[in-house]
Amino acid sequence: MLELLTRATELLASSEAPRDHERTAWKLAKAAYDYDDFQALDLAFDHLLDSEDALGGPVALKALPPLTQRWWDRRGYHDKRPAELWRRFSESAQAAGDPWLAATGQAQRAWHLSCSGDLDTLDELVDHYLHLEPRRFGEGPHRHPDAPDTPTSLWWAQLTLLRPALWNVAWQPRRRRAEELIEALLDATDAAEIDLETSAWNLDAAMRAALANELTEFVSRWGRPWLRTLRTLNHPRASFHRTLAEGLMDLVAERPTSITKLQQAQDLANASTLGPEWRADALQQRLAAQIRFEPSNPPGDAHRELKGLHRTFGLWGAAEVSKD
């Protein structure tokens, strides 16, 4: 089946029937996903990017999240095409007068930029949304489900972009940038009337950025709510993030038990289908605890493993090593 779809897509790419090319490219992408065939998915990405209108409309909205997530989880972030697919999706939504949908696509793109370490582009994208006001964000047919209208959906759009940006400064500390992003997150949650104490994903990203950049006042204020909200979270990654958070707070408190907790988080990441960024994250945090509490235990093998994850999956946003 994949061979037939691949051949059909190649033939239609050179035809004068762009709608047929678009439909067949999506069918190829779906078959590649269903059969876990990355060679076919690679070809499907090329054809989707070659099609003028493929990345607008409901098919792209439904299909792109699982396709790009599968690529990131298995192939990582070397390849820029997943980010480009989301950029094209967002541009199409914006041109169609749908700013909320455009923002959701840009948030997906921001995750790729964060993990791959394209800091200039990431900062520019996030700052664009932080400098908007509801009136300039605009009207449209979609809004965040908790927002009263599309213009005020801006606050949620800012939060969806702030989270990947905060994770980036958690993995690759930049203290001034971390302070700016956390302040922006507090402003956005306040404007959206979101209780940060019960907003697990917003608080998780902010706390990790604060810990990595030694923003002690924020850590002291929000540490307990962070652990509390993660312990009540119902999500496939909940146990991983909860165990990692407990280990990191033990590390802050200078408790050697942090090594055990962080090792447990690393084991959870390695034994699951979590993306490579989370495996690298857990390993990097466990290394920090080992260096602190077990200085006589050389971390050479673990350092090599971490560098291998960075290089294999293009995790330069989480890397302490050069790309060279």
Side-chain angles (χ1 to χ4, degrees):
M1 179 180 178
L2 283 174
E3 291 82 357
L4 289 173
L5 279 171
T6 299
R7 179 59 179 156
T9 306
E10 290 171 343
L11 288 171
L12 287 167
S14 59
S15 76
E16 295 182 0
R19 294 297 295 174
D20 288 339
H21 177 213
E22 174 190 329
R23 283 192 292 269
T24 309
W26 279 121
K27 287 181 180 179
L28 174 62
K30 183 181 186 305
Y33 182 88
D34 290 342
Y35 286 91
D36 206 27
D37 188 321
F38 280 86
Q39 184 176 358
L41 186 55
D42 179 90
L43 184 60
F45 281 176
D46 283 341
H47 284 294
L48 290 171
L49 288 169
D50 285 342
S51 176
E52 186 174 343
D53 300 316
L55 295 167
V59 175
L61 176 62
K62 181 179 180 180
L64 272 184
L67 290 174
T68 52
Q69 190 67 57
R70 174 72 61 84
W71 190 276
W72 290 330
D73 287 349
R74 300 279 289 280
R75 293 293 188 267
Y77 298 89
H78 287 292
D79 195 323
K80 295 181 180 181
R81 288 176 303 168
E84 179 64 11
L85 288 164
W86 281 113
R87 187 184 71 80
R88 299 270 193 93
F89 170 88
S90 295
E91 287 184 349
S92 178
Q94 194 70 46
D98 201 332
W100 168 248
L101 211 56
T104 63
Q106 293 289 15
Q108 294 273 3
R109 178 182 171 221
W111 186 253
H112 186 112
L113 298 172
S114 175
C115 292
S116 65
D118 190 346
L119 303 189
D120 290 342
T121 307
L122 176 64
D123 289 350
E124 181 180 0
L125 173 61
V126 173
D127 287 345
H128 167 74
Y129 278 90
L130 293 182
H131 292 146
L132 289 179
E133 296 178 353
R135 179 179 55 82
R136 290 180 56 212
F137 184 66
E139 298 283 355
H142 292 96
R143 60 177 174 84
H144 187 276
D146 293 332
D149 52 32
T150 301
T152 54
S153 295
L154 171 64
W155 314 127
W156 285 266
Q158 290 178 346
L159 290 169
T160 63
L161 284 148
L162 281 164
R163 286 192 292 272
L166 285 162
W167 277 107
N168 180 266
V169 295
W171 294 326
Q172 198 172 77
R174 292 184 287 160
R175 184 183 175 91
R176 171 176 269 183
R177 184 61 173 169
E179 290 173 333
E180 294 171 351
L181 294 172
I182 287 175
E183 183 177 354
L185 180 132
L186 292 172
D187 289 343
T189 53
D190 184 59
E193 299 182 356
I194 292 172
D195 181 3
L196 187 57
E197 288 200 6
T198 60
S199 184
W201 294 130
N202 290 318
L203 189 51
D204 193 39
M207 274 294 298
R208 289 297 308 278
L211 283 166
N213 291 276
E214 299 181 346
L215 303 181
T216 54
E217 288 187 13
F218 189 91
V219 171
S220 297
R221 165 64 182 88
W222 295 101
R224 288 185 179 179
W226 180 39
L227 295 180
R228 187 166 56 245
T229 191
L230 286 176
R231 285 167 182 158
T232 61
L233 183 64
N234 181 20
H235 187 274
R237 291 204 316 268
S239 59
F240 166 75
H241 287 275
R242 179 178 64 251
T243 306
L244 194 59
E246 290 171 351
L248 287 171
M249 289 304 285
D250 279 354
L251 186 59
V252 169
E254 297 286 342
R255 290 192 285 264
T257 52
S258 63
I259 295 178
T260 301
K261 280 287 186 181
L262 294 171
Q263 181 63 61
Q264 289 172 355
Q266 185 183 345
D267 292 342
L268 284 169
N270 290 339
S272 69
T273 57
L274 299 186
E277 61 271 33
W278 304 119
R279 300 202 298 274
D281 184 21
L283 177 54
Q284 186 166 327
Q285 304 315 315
R286 198 261 292 171
L287 269 171
Q290 183 178 333
I291 291 168
R292 175 84 61 88
F293 296 114
E294 297 179 352
S296 62
N297 184 7
D301 289 345
H303 267 304
R304 283 188 288 274
E305 181 184 352
L306 183 59
K307 290 181 180 180
L309 282 170
H310 291 157
R311 292 194 173 102
T312 299
F313 294 103
L315 293 169
W316 305 119
E320 295 181 347
V321 296
S322 170
K323 295 183 185 182
D324 299 330

